[in-house]
PDB file of all heavy atoms in Angstrom:
ATOM      1  N   HIS A   1     139.251  66.969  79.007  1.00 89.00           N
ATOM      2  CA  HIS A   1     138.988  65.653  78.438  1.00 89.00           C
ATOM      3  C   HIS A   1     138.890  64.585  79.525  1.00 89.00           C
ATOM      4  O   HIS A   1     138.964  63.408  79.235  1.00 89.00           O
ATOM      5  CB  HIS A   1     140.086  65.260  77.433  1.00 89.00           C
ATOM      6  CG  HIS A   1     140.226  66.217  76.289  1.00 89.00           C
ATOM      7  ND1 HIS A   1     139.559  66.020  75.105  1.00 89.00           N
ATOM      8  CD2 HIS A   1     140.898  67.383  76.162  1.00 89.00           C
ATOM      9  CE1 HIS A   1     139.833  67.019  74.275  1.00 89.00           C
ATOM     10  NE2 HIS A   1     140.641  67.853  74.917  1.00 89.00           N
ATOM     11  N   SER A   2     138.741  65.009  80.766  1.00 87.00           N
ATOM     12  CA  SER A   2     138.742  64.065  81.876  1.00 87.00           C
ATOM     13  C   SER A   2     137.445  63.305  81.989  1.00 87.00           C
ATOM     14  O   SER A   2     136.380  63.768  81.561  1.00 87.00           O
ATOM     15  CB  SER A   2     138.934  64.833  83.196  1.00 87.00           C
ATOM     16  OG  SER A   2     140.137  65.536  83.203  1.00 87.00           O
ATOM     17  N   GLU A   3     137.527  62.134  82.583  1.00 86.00           N
ATOM     18  CA  GLU A   3     136.335  61.324  82.827  1.00 86.00           C
ATOM     19  C   GLU A   3     135.721  61.686  84.177  1.00 86.00           C
ATOM     20  O   GLU A   3     134.562  61.334  84.451  1.00 86.00           O
ATOM     21  CB  GLU A   3     136.660  59.856  82.797  1.00 86.00           C
ATOM     22  CG  GLU A   3     137.024  59.403  81.374  1.00 86.00           C
ATOM     23  CD  GLU A   3     137.350  57.911  81.297  1.00 86.00           C
ATOM     24  OE1 GLU A   3     137.265  57.224  82.341  1.00 86.00           O
ATOM     25  OE2 GLU A   3     137.675  57.439  80.223  1.00 86.00           O
ATOM     26  N   ASP A   4     136.431  62.392  85.045  1.00 87.00           N
ATOM     27  CA  ASP A   4     135.905  62.792  86.349  1.00 87.00           C
ATOM     28  C   ASP A   4     135.738  64.297  86.392  1.00 87.00           C
ATOM     29  O   ASP A   4     135.942  64.994  85.352  1.00 87.00           O
ATOM     30  CB  ASP A   4     136.815  62.323  87.498  1.00 87.00           C
ATOM     31  CG  ASP A   4     138.243  62.814  87.349  1.00 87.00           C
ATOM     32  OD1 ASP A   4     138.441  63.938  86.877  1.00 87.00           O
ATOM     33  OD2 ASP A   4     139.166  62.071  87.720  1.00 87.00           O
ATOM     34  N   ASP A   5     135.370  64.866  87.538  1.00 88.00           N
ATOM     35  CA  ASP A   5     135.096  66.321  87.614  1.00 88.00           C
ATOM     36  C   ASP A   5     136.162  67.053  88.414  1.00 88.00           C
ATOM     37  O   ASP A   5     135.921  68.207  88.802  1.00 88.00           O
ATOM     38  CB  ASP A   5     133.708  66.529  88.218  1.00 88.00           C
ATOM     39  CG  ASP A   5     133.622  66.038  89.664  1.00 88.00           C
ATOM     40  OD1 ASP A   5     134.534  65.332  90.121  1.00 88.00           O
ATOM     41  OD2 ASP A   5     132.579  66.339  90.304  1.00 88.00           O
ATOM     42  N   HIS A   6     137.324  66.484  88.602  1.00 90.00           N
ATOM     43  CA  HIS A   6     138.378  67.155  89.414  1.00 90.00           C
ATOM     44  C   HIS A   6     138.870  68.424  88.730  1.00 90.00           C
ATOM     45  O   HIS A   6     139.080  69.437  89.423  1.00 90.00           O
ATOM     46  CB  HIS A   6     139.550  66.195  89.657  1.00 90.00           C
ATOM     47  CG  HIS A   6     139.171  65.054  90.533  1.00 90.00           C
ATOM     48  ND1 HIS A   6     138.987  63.794  90.037  1.00 90.00           N
ATOM     49  CD2 HIS A   6     138.927  64.965  91.870  1.00 90.00           C
ATOM     50  CE1 HIS A   6     138.669  62.992  91.024  1.00 90.00           C
ATOM     51  NE2 HIS A   6     138.619  63.696  92.121  1.00 90.00           N
ATOM     52  N   VAL A   7     139.071  68.418  87.434  1.00 92.00           N
ATOM     53  CA  VAL A   7     139.555  69.605  86.715  1.00 92.00           C
ATOM     54  C   VAL A   7     138.472  70.693  86.794  1.00 92.00           C
ATOM     55  O   VAL A   7     138.784  71.866  87.033  1.00 92.00           O
ATOM     56  CB  VAL A   7     139.925  69.255  85.262  1.00 92.00           C
ATOM     57  CG1 VAL A   7     140.116  70.509  84.442  1.00 92.00           C
ATOM     58  CG2 VAL A   7     141.156  68.365  85.229  1.00 92.00           C
ATOM     59  N   GLU A   8     137.208  70.327  86.596  1.00 92.00           N
ATOM     60  CA  GLU A   8     136.135  71.306  86.629  1.00 92.00           C
ATOM     61  C   GLU A   8     136.057  71.983  87.980  1.00 92.00           C
ATOM     62  O   GLU A   8     135.921  73.205  88.106  1.00 92.00           O
ATOM     63  CB  GLU A   8     134.813  70.650  86.301  1.00 92.00           C
ATOM     64  CG  GLU A   8     133.667  71.610  86.249  1.00 92.00           C
ATOM     65  CD  GLU A   8     132.353  70.962  85.829  1.00 92.00           C
ATOM     66  OE1 GLU A   8     132.249  69.732  85.808  1.00 92.00           O
ATOM     67  OE2 GLU A   8     131.451  71.726  85.493  1.00 92.00           O
ATOM     68  N   LYS A   9     136.168  71.200  89.060  1.00 93.00           N
ATOM     69  CA  LYS A   9     136.099  71.754  90.434  1.00 93.00           C
ATOM     70  C   LYS A   9     137.289  72.688  90.682  1.00 93.00           C
ATOM     71  O   LYS A   9     137.141  73.708  91.348  1.00 93.00           O
ATOM     72  CB  LYS A   9     136.063  70.647  91.461  1.00 93.00           C
ATOM     73  CG  LYS A   9     134.722  69.931  91.493  1.00 93.00           C
ATOM     74  CD  LYS A   9     134.717  68.829  92.548  1.00 93.00           C
ATOM     75  CE  LYS A   9     133.365  68.148  92.585  1.00 93.00           C
ATOM     76  NZ  LYS A   9     133.322  67.064  93.561  1.00 93.00           N
ATOM     77  N   LEU A  10     138.446  72.297  90.176  1.00 93.00           N
ATOM     78  CA  LEU A  10     139.646  73.157  90.320  1.00 93.00           C
ATOM     79  C   LEU A  10     139.438  74.495  89.616  1.00 93.00           C
ATOM     80  O   LEU A  10     139.741  75.541  90.182  1.00 93.00           O
ATOM     81  CB  LEU A  10     140.867  72.440  89.766  1.00 93.00           C
ATOM     82  CG  LEU A  10     142.153  73.245  89.834  1.00 93.00           C
ATOM     83  CD1 LEU A  10     142.574  73.479  91.291  1.00 93.00           C
ATOM     84  CD2 LEU A  10     143.240  72.545  89.080  1.00 93.00           C
ATOM     85  N   CYS A  11     138.927  74.433  88.398  1.00 94.00           N
ATOM     86  CA  CYS A  11     138.651  75.653  87.649  1.00 94.00           C
ATOM     87  C   CYS A  11     137.642  76.561  88.418  1.00 94.00           C
ATOM     88  O   CYS A  11     137.839  77.754  88.485  1.00 94.00           O
ATOM     89  CB  CYS A  11     138.091  75.362  86.255  1.00 94.00           C
ATOM     90  SG  CYS A  11     139.350  74.633  85.178  1.00 94.00           S
ATOM     91  N   ASP A  12     136.634  75.946  88.996  1.00 96.00           N
ATOM     92  CA  ASP A  12     135.668  76.704  89.784  1.00 96.00           C
ATOM     93  C   ASP A  12     136.334  77.446  90.923  1.00 96.00           C
ATOM     94  O   ASP A  12     135.981  78.589  91.220  1.00 96.00           O
ATOM     95  CB  ASP A  12     134.596  75.776  90.372  1.00 96.00           C
ATOM     96  CG  ASP A  12     133.615  75.256  89.363  1.00 96.00           C
ATOM     97  OD1 ASP A  12     133.518  75.858  88.263  1.00 96.00           O
ATOM     98  OD2 ASP A  12     132.891  74.282  89.676  1.00 96.00           O
ATOM     99  N   SER A  13     137.377  76.850  91.522  1.00 95.00           N
ATOM    100  CA  SER A  13     138.043  77.512  92.639  1.00 95.00           C
ATOM    101  C   SER A  13     138.911  78.696  92.212  1.00 95.00           C
ATOM    102  O   SER A  13     139.340  79.510  93.066  1.00 95.00           O
ATOM    103  CB  SER A  13     138.876  76.492  93.418  1.00 95.00           C
ATOM    104  OG  SER A  13     140.002  76.092  92.687  1.00 95.00           O
ATOM    105  N   TYR A  14     139.179  78.848  90.912  1.00 95.00           N
ATOM    106  CA  TYR A  14     140.014  79.938  90.423  1.00 95.00           C
ATOM    107  C   TYR A  14     139.249  81.027  89.702  1.00 95.00           C
ATOM    108  O   TYR A  14     139.849  82.005  89.235  1.00 95.00           O
ATOM    109  CB  TYR A  14     141.118  79.391  89.470  1.00 95.00           C
ATOM    110  CG  TYR A  14     142.293  78.825  90.161  1.00 95.00           C
ATOM    111  CD1 TYR A  14     142.330  77.494  90.567  1.00 95.00           C
ATOM    112  CD2 TYR A  14     143.408  79.598  90.481  1.00 95.00           C
ATOM    113  CE1 TYR A  14     143.399  76.958  91.226  1.00 95.00           C
ATOM    114  CE2 TYR A  14     144.490  79.072  91.139  1.00 95.00           C
ATOM    115  CZ  TYR A  14     144.487  77.756  91.489  1.00 95.00           C
ATOM    116  OH  TYR A  14     145.562  77.232  92.165  1.00 95.00           O
ATOM    117  N   TYR A  15     137.931  80.924  89.589  1.00 93.00           N
ATOM    118  CA  TYR A  15     137.156  81.895  88.868  1.00 93.00           C
ATOM    119  C   TYR A  15     137.298  83.331  89.418  1.00 93.00           C
ATOM    120  O   TYR A  15     137.196  84.283  88.667  1.00 93.00           O
ATOM    121  CB  TYR A  15     135.675  81.507  88.813  1.00 93.00           C
ATOM    122  CG  TYR A  15     135.366  80.512  87.715  1.00 93.00           C
ATOM    123  CD1 TYR A  15     134.668  79.349  87.983  1.00 93.00           C
ATOM    124  CD2 TYR A  15     135.785  80.712  86.397  1.00 93.00           C
ATOM    125  CE1 TYR A  15     134.400  78.423  86.992  1.00 93.00           C
ATOM    126  CE2 TYR A  15     135.513  79.787  85.418  1.00 93.00           C
ATOM    127  CZ  TYR A  15     134.824  78.655  85.716  1.00 93.00           C
ATOM    128  OH  TYR A  15     134.555  77.753  84.721  1.00 93.00           O
ATOM    129  N   ASN A  16     137.519  83.459  90.678  1.00 94.00           N
ATOM    130  CA  ASN A  16     137.674  84.802  91.266  1.00 94.00           C
ATOM    131  C   ASN A  16     139.058  85.388  91.034  1.00 94.00           C
ATOM    132  O   ASN A  16     139.302  86.575  91.167  1.00 94.00           O
ATOM    133  CB  ASN A  16     137.367  84.818  92.783  1.00 94.00           C
ATOM    134  CG  ASN A  16     135.900  84.578  93.035  1.00 94.00           C
ATOM    135  OD1 ASN A  16     135.056  84.967  92.260  1.00 94.00           O
ATOM    136  ND2 ASN A  16     135.598  83.920  94.129  1.00 94.00           N
ATOM    137  N   ASP A  17     140.037  84.521  90.713  1.00 94.00           N
ATOM    138  CA  ASP A  17     141.420  84.954  90.534  1.00 94.00           C
ATOM    139  C   ASP A  17     141.820  85.156  89.093  1.00 94.00           C
ATOM    140  O   ASP A  17     142.725  85.936  88.800  1.00 94.00           O
ATOM    141  CB  ASP A  17     142.366  83.916  91.176  1.00 94.00           C
ATOM    142  CG  ASP A  17     142.103  83.770  92.652  1.00 94.00           C
ATOM    143  OD1 ASP A  17     141.924  84.766  93.359  1.00 94.00           O
ATOM    144  OD2 ASP A  17     142.100  82.607  93.127  1.00 94.00           O
ATOM    145  N   LEU A  18     141.214  84.364  88.166  1.00 95.00           N
ATOM    146  CA  LEU A  18     141.622  84.408  86.767  1.00 95.00           C
ATOM    147  C   LEU A  18     140.392  84.417  85.884  1.00 95.00           C
ATOM    148  O   LEU A  18     139.322  83.959  86.299  1.00 95.00           O
ATOM    149  CB  LEU A  18     142.440  83.143  86.450  1.00 95.00           C
ATOM    150  CG  LEU A  18     143.787  82.994  87.140  1.00 95.00           C
ATOM    151  CD1 LEU A  18     144.318  81.587  86.960  1.00 95.00           C
ATOM    152  CD2 LEU A  18     144.776  83.984  86.579  1.00 95.00           C
ATOM    153  N   ASP A  19     140.566  84.927  84.674  1.00 95.00           N
ATOM    154  CA  ASP A  19     139.490  84.894  83.673  1.00 95.00           C
ATOM    155  C   ASP A  19     139.571  83.532  82.999  1.00 95.00           C
ATOM    156  O   ASP A  19     140.327  83.332  82.044  1.00 95.00           O
ATOM    157  CB  ASP A  19     139.720  86.011  82.663  1.00 95.00           C
ATOM    158  CG  ASP A  19     138.620  86.056  81.606  1.00 95.00           C
ATOM    159  OD1 ASP A  19     137.611  85.336  81.725  1.00 95.00           O
ATOM    160  OD2 ASP A  19     138.778  86.845  80.651  1.00 95.00           O
ATOM    161  N   ILE A  20     138.813  82.557  83.517  1.00 95.00           N
ATOM    162  CA  ILE A  20     138.828  81.184  83.027  1.00 95.00           C
ATOM    163  C   ILE A  20     137.595  80.897  82.201  1.00 95.00           C
ATOM    164  O   ILE A  20     136.470  81.181  82.583  1.00 95.00           O
ATOM    165  CB  ILE A  20     138.891  80.181  84.207  1.00 95.00           C
ATOM    166  CG1 ILE A  20     140.234  80.333  84.932  1.00 95.00           C
ATOM    167  CG2 ILE A  20     138.725  78.746  83.709  1.00 95.00           C
ATOM    168  CD1 ILE A  20     140.429  79.388  86.100  1.00 95.00           C
ATOM    169  N   LYS A  21     137.838  80.311  81.039  1.00 95.00           N
ATOM    170  CA  LYS A  21     136.779  79.766  80.188  1.00 95.00           C
ATOM    171  C   LYS A  21     136.943  78.247  80.208  1.00 95.00           C
ATOM    172  O   LYS A  21     137.945  77.711  79.749  1.00 95.00           O
ATOM    173  CB  LYS A  21     136.929  80.245  78.738  1.00 95.00           C
ATOM    174  CG  LYS A  21     137.033  81.779  78.594  1.00 95.00           C
ATOM    175  CD  LYS A  21     135.760  82.452  78.988  1.00 95.00           C
ATOM    176  CE  LYS A  21     135.801  83.933  78.621  1.00 95.00           C
ATOM    177  NZ  LYS A  21     136.168  84.819  79.691  1.00 95.00           N
ATOM    178  N   TYR A  22     135.964  77.565  80.769  1.00 96.00           N
ATOM    179  CA  TYR A  22     136.041  76.116  80.938  1.00 96.00           C
ATOM    180  C   TYR A  22     135.139  75.448  79.924  1.00 96.00           C
ATOM    181  O   TYR A  22     133.977  75.799  79.775  1.00 96.00           O
ATOM    182  CB  TYR A  22     135.591  75.723  82.354  1.00 96.00           C
ATOM    183  CG  TYR A  22     135.513  74.234  82.567  1.00 96.00           C
ATOM    184  CD1 TYR A  22     136.627  73.473  82.841  1.00 96.00           C
ATOM    185  CD2 TYR A  22     134.287  73.566  82.463  1.00 96.00           C
ATOM    186  CE1 TYR A  22     136.550  72.113  83.011  1.00 96.00           C
ATOM    187  CE2 TYR A  22     134.185  72.214  82.622  1.00 96.00           C
ATOM    188  CZ  TYR A  22     135.345  71.476  82.879  1.00 96.00           C
ATOM    189  OH  TYR A  22     135.252  70.131  83.070  1.00 96.00           O
ATOM    190  N   TYR A  23     135.668  74.483  79.215  1.00 95.00           N
ATOM    191  CA  TYR A  23     134.952  73.692  78.230  1.00 95.00           C
ATOM    192  C   TYR A  23     135.151  72.196  78.505  1.00 95.00           C
ATOM    193  O   TYR A  23     136.269  71.726  78.535  1.00 95.00           O
ATOM    194  CB  TYR A  23     135.434  73.991  76.818  1.00 95.00           C
ATOM    195  CG  TYR A  23     135.332  75.462  76.469  1.00 95.00           C
ATOM    196  CD1 TYR A  23     136.452  76.278  76.608  1.00 95.00           C
ATOM    197  CD2 TYR A  23     134.146  76.023  75.998  1.00 95.00           C
ATOM    198  CE1 TYR A  23     136.359  77.628  76.308  1.00 95.00           C
ATOM    199  CE2 TYR A  23     134.079  77.364  75.713  1.00 95.00           C
ATOM    200  CZ  TYR A  23     135.187  78.156  75.867  1.00 95.00           C
ATOM    201  OH  TYR A  23     135.095  79.499  75.574  1.00 95.00           O
ATOM    202  N   ARG A  24     134.061  71.512  78.736  1.00 93.00           N
ATOM    203  CA  ARG A  24     134.133  70.065  78.976  1.00 93.00           C
ATOM    204  C   ARG A  24     133.821  69.339  77.666  1.00 93.00           C
ATOM    205  O   ARG A  24     132.788  69.634  77.044  1.00 93.00           O
ATOM    206  CB  ARG A  24     133.158  69.637  80.047  1.00 93.00           C
ATOM    207  CG  ARG A  24     133.277  68.127  80.319  1.00 93.00           C
ATOM    208  CD  ARG A  24     132.580  67.769  81.616  1.00 93.00           C
ATOM    209  NE  ARG A  24     132.994  66.480  82.026  1.00 93.00           N
ATOM    210  CZ  ARG A  24     133.954  66.215  82.905  1.00 93.00           C
ATOM    211  NH1 ARG A  24     134.551  67.185  83.487  1.00 93.00           N
ATOM    212  NH2 ARG A  24     134.274  64.989  83.205  1.00 93.00           N
ATOM    213  N   ASN A  25     134.662  68.445  77.274  1.00 89.00           N
ATOM    214  CA  ASN A  25     134.453  67.636  76.072  1.00 89.00           C
ATOM    215  C   ASN A  25     133.743  66.348  76.479  1.00 89.00           C
ATOM    216  O   ASN A  25     134.215  65.598  77.298  1.00 89.00           O
ATOM    217  CB  ASN A  25     135.784  67.298  75.422  1.00 89.00           C
ATOM    218  CG  ASN A  25     136.466  68.531  74.911  1.00 89.00           C
ATOM    219  OD1 ASN A  25     135.909  69.256  74.081  1.00 89.00           O
ATOM    220  ND2 ASN A  25     137.643  68.821  75.431  1.00 89.00           N
ATOM    221  N   THR A  26     132.571  66.155  75.899  1.00 79.00           N
ATOM    222  CA  THR A  26     131.804  64.972  76.245  1.00 79.00           C
ATOM    223  C   THR A  26     132.257  63.756  75.459  1.00 79.00           C
ATOM    224  O   THR A  26     131.958  62.620  75.830  1.00 79.00           O
ATOM    225  CB  THR A  26     130.307  65.228  75.984  1.00 79.00           C
ATOM    226  OG1 THR A  26     130.126  65.624  74.631  1.00 79.00           O
ATOM    227  CG2 THR A  26     129.780  66.339  76.905  1.00 79.00           C
ATOM    228  N   SER A  27     132.954  63.946  74.370  1.00 71.00           N
ATOM    229  CA  SER A  27     133.455  62.840  73.565  1.00 71.00           C
ATOM    230  C   SER A  27     134.938  62.620  73.863  1.00 71.00           C
ATOM    231  O   SER A  27     135.689  63.552  74.010  1.00 71.00           O
ATOM    232  CB  SER A  27     133.270  63.171  72.097  1.00 71.00           C
ATOM    233  OG  SER A  27     133.854  62.180  71.294  1.00 71.00           O
TER     234      SER A  27
END
């Protein structure tokens, strides 16, 4: 639910280590 992309970038850095499903809420 963030207004910036810090959480998304962090999730990207863990894709090789964990099975992450990332969903960005636009509202």
Side-chain angles (χ1 to χ4, degrees):
H1 299 267
S2 301
E3 292 181 1
D4 57 34
D5 64 350
H6 293 105
V7 169
E8 183 176 15
K9 288 180 179 179
L10 178 66
C11 290
D12 287 343
S13 71
Y14 278 88
Y15 278 129
N16 291 329
D17 300 317
L18 296 167
D19 181 9
I20 293 181
K21 307 293 189 263
Y22 174 83
Y23 304 95
R24 181 164 196 99
N25 295 301
T26 56
S27 173

